[in-house]
Amino acid sequence: EDSWCNRSCFFISCLIFVLMTLSMLATLPEIGFCYLHDLSLVAVRGPDAATFLHQQLSNAVTGMPAHTFRLAGLCSPKGRLFASMYYWREQDDIILMVSRDLSEPLIKRLSMFILRSRVTLTNVDSHYTLLALVGKETVLAQALSAALPDVGGIVHHPKGAVLRLPDVQWHFRLLWPMPSSTVPQSEDKHALSAGVNASGVNACLAD
């Protein structure tokens, strides 16, 4: 009798889980996005950029494929974390994405170790607008007119690199540093930030 009760409880629990999953999937928005004002971008330029960062960050930089991004930390000699960041290649530059309040301190700290390296560090926030996108895979792919990359991968859209973050509860999440010159301005921009639909993203993508 106890065995029968255990099997019944297990079956009911599985059924409830399946029903909750289906309900969650049915209520997912097709697509949504917002502007990320609390993040900042730093461009590391120069022939020694990759080698320099490889010596400073906690993850490998040299040899990193062009269509991927990585997470790394900048630590003190004692191993205390100063800042964490995503980084990827953008043509000849390496872009660091870091919390906005750490952008200038990060540039200052890294500049201490440049010495003879042929490297420059520049805040490029004025050149980009950071967008976050979330939604269903098929709708996101349709909006971008491209297949979504694997987690940790990048798809190079004509209006900037699109980074895929780990999924959360069946939500596909993307980061999109879009060149500011291609982002709608004034009232159009405010309308887009309030929209949670594919047409809003398509307006961003329109030529």
Side-chain angles (χ1 to χ4, degrees):
E1 183 177 349
D2 290 341
S3 177
W4 182 87
C5 289
N6 290 337
R7 288 197 299 270
S8 298
C9 290
F10 175 76
F11 174 78
I12 293 172
S13 298
C14 290
L15 181 61
I16 292 174
F17 174 78
V18 170
L19 291 175
M20 290 178 63
T21 301
L22 292 175
S23 176
M24 183 179 297
L25 289 174
T27 57
L28 281 178
E30 284 193 345
I31 195 169
F33 68 103
C34 65
Y35 295 92
L36 300 177
H37 301 294
D38 57 343
L39 296 176
S40 185
L41 297 177
V42 175
V44 185
R45 298 172 172 140
D48 297 333
T51 303
F52 170 74
L53 288 175
H54 189 83
Q55 297 170 347
Q56 302 299 326
L57 302 183
S58 62
N59 204 346
V61 179
T62 57
M64 183 176 67
H67 297 283
T68 62
F69 68 96
R70 291 177 178 172
L71 177 66
L74 176 66
C75 300
S76 71
K78 294 184 178 180
R80 295 176 180 173
L81 183 65
F82 178 80
S84 58
M85 68 206 75
Y86 286 119
Y87 63 96
W88 66 93
R89 292 185 179 275
E90 190 76 39
Q91 297 179 354
D92 294 331
D93 303 340
I94 297 176
I95 305 296
L96 311 178
M97 180 187 294
V98 67
S99 178
R100 184 173 292 273
D101 61 330
L102 292 176
S103 175
E104 293 305 322
L106 175 70
I107 292 175
K108 183 177 180 180
R109 187 173 185 86
L110 286 174
S111 297
M112 296 168 55
F113 305 103
I114 290 179
L115 302 177
R116 295 181 180 273
S117 298
R118 295 168 295 174
V119 173
T120 61
L121 303 165
T122 308
N123 183 295
V124 291
D125 288 340
S126 60
H127 300 289
Y128 291 92
T129 297
L130 276 169
L131 301 178
L133 292 88
V134 61
K136 298 179 180 179
E137 179 182 11
T138 54
V139 181
L140 287 172
Q142 182 180 7
L144 295 172
S145 299
L148 298 186
D150 295 331
V151 173
I154 296 175
V155 57
H156 288 282
H157 188 272
K159 294 187 177 180
V162 182
L163 293 66
R164 181 177 170 189
L165 297 175
D167 308 330
V168 174
Q169 295 183 343
W170 301 282
H171 288 71
F172 286 76
R173 301 188 302 157
L174 305 175
L175 283 176
W176 188 2
M178 178 186 287
S180 296
S181 59
T182 67
V183 178
Q185 300 300 315
S186 65
E187 66 274 3
D188 293 333
K189 182 173 179 178
H190 294 299
L192 288 175
S193 65
V196 187
N197 52 59
S199 61
V201 175
N202 288 334
C204 259
L205 294 170
D207 293 328

